[in-house]
Amino acid sequence: MQFRDYQTDIAERAADLLTRYKIAYLAMQVRCGKTLTSMLAASLYGAKHVLFVTKKKAIASIEADYEAAAFDFHISIINYEQLHKFETENFDLVIIDEAHSLGAFPKPSERTKLLKNICSGLPIIYLSGTPSPESYSQLFHQFWVSTFSPWAEYRNFYAWAGHYVTITTKYLYGKTVNDYTNADKESIESTAGHLFITYTQEEAGFQQEII
């Protein structure tokens, strides 16, 4: 399989991030080849047994890409709904597809808590075209899954929000609740921005945006 020049470049950069920080976040728009790029990065990093977590409907496509590229590592592909019955194997890297689905706050979702246990001590490649579609606060629990989170010093979202979020209140179902959506973009990017590699359809040469 022939990789596009930008896929090779991104994979090399991602492998370097994994070596240095144990985290690489590929924020690549749809149809730019996130899946293949992430697996190439895993290969360049030297992974031998990769866990790929994705949505059920994407499994067949990922298996096809893996077989076509003939990567030199073993891969196990599971969907998010299987996490509760997953038995840990001897993985040395995890790829998390649709990583923004872990972004619930202020409390982590069940899938996020399960994935945190699975990923303990392992390097992670995150994949998403929209890492924080509604609020930068959605990034906390995505990185919380990693032992090597840039915000590992904060014991939970509330402690992190005290530093990175302007907390306001709103009315919800007849009562006042805290609103944590107003996160400080500049502060967040200053501490986690180095972990992201972004790429757009325009940069990939698409003449028309594909949704």
Side-chain angles (χ1 to χ4, degrees), residues 102 108-118 144-145:
L102 306 176
S109 65
E110 285 302 312
R111 68 166 54 173
T112 304
K113 289 188 283 187
L114 289 169
L115 200 50
K116 181 176 177 65
N117 290 331
I118 292 170
W144 178 76
V145 163

Side-chain angles (χ1 to χ4, degrees), residues 132-150:
S132 51
E134 299 169 1
S135 167
Y136 271 68
S137 290
Q138 291 174 295
L139 293 177
F140 177 79
H141 282 129
Q142 292 181 60
F143 287 129
W144 178 76
V145 163
S146 171
T147 304
F148 310 98
S149 168

Side-chain angles (χ1 to χ4, degrees), residues 14 18 33 52 61 67 79 82 94 151 154 162 170 183 190 196:
L18 291 171
F52 200 119
S61 175
E67 292 173 4
N79 62 63
Q82 293 176 305
V94 181
W151 303 309
Y154 298 99
K170 62 181 179 181
S190 71
F196 287 81

Side-chain angles (χ1 to χ4, degrees), residues 67-84:
E67 292 173 4
F71 288 111
D72 58 355
F73 57 81
H74 178 69
I75 194 168
S76 298
I77 307 170
I78 65 169
N79 62 63
Y80 283 105
E81 289 69 33
Q82 293 176 305
L83 292 176
H84 69 284

Side-chain angles (χ1 to χ4, degrees), residues 55 80 96-104 109 111-112 128 131 142:
K55 293 185 175 181
Y80 283 105
I96 302 177
D97 194 17
E98 305 290 344
H100 58 270
S101 68
L102 306 176
S109 65
R111 68 166 54 173
T112 304
S128 178
Q142 292 181 60

Side-chain angles (χ1 to χ4, degrees), residues 144-205:
W144 178 76
V145 163
S146 171
T147 304
F148 310 98
S149 168
W151 303 309
E153 65 193 274
Y154 298 99
R155 66 185 184 280
N156 55 35
F157 175 84
Y158 299 103
W160 176 85
H163 186 88
Y164 289 97
V165 179
T166 299
I167 304 170
T168 59
T169 58
K170 62 181 179 181
Y171 287 99
L172 186 65
Y173 302 117
K175 62 180 181 180
T176 302
V177 297
N178 286 337
D179 184 352
Y180 296 97
T181 58
N182 189 19
D184 187 335
K185 176 182 176 180
E186 290 187 4
S187 294
I188 289 170
E189 289 184 343
S190 71
T191 52
H194 61 287
L195 302 174
F196 287 81
I197 301 174
T198 61
Y199 205 77
T200 66
Q201 291 179 4
E202 183 178 3
E203 289 174 301

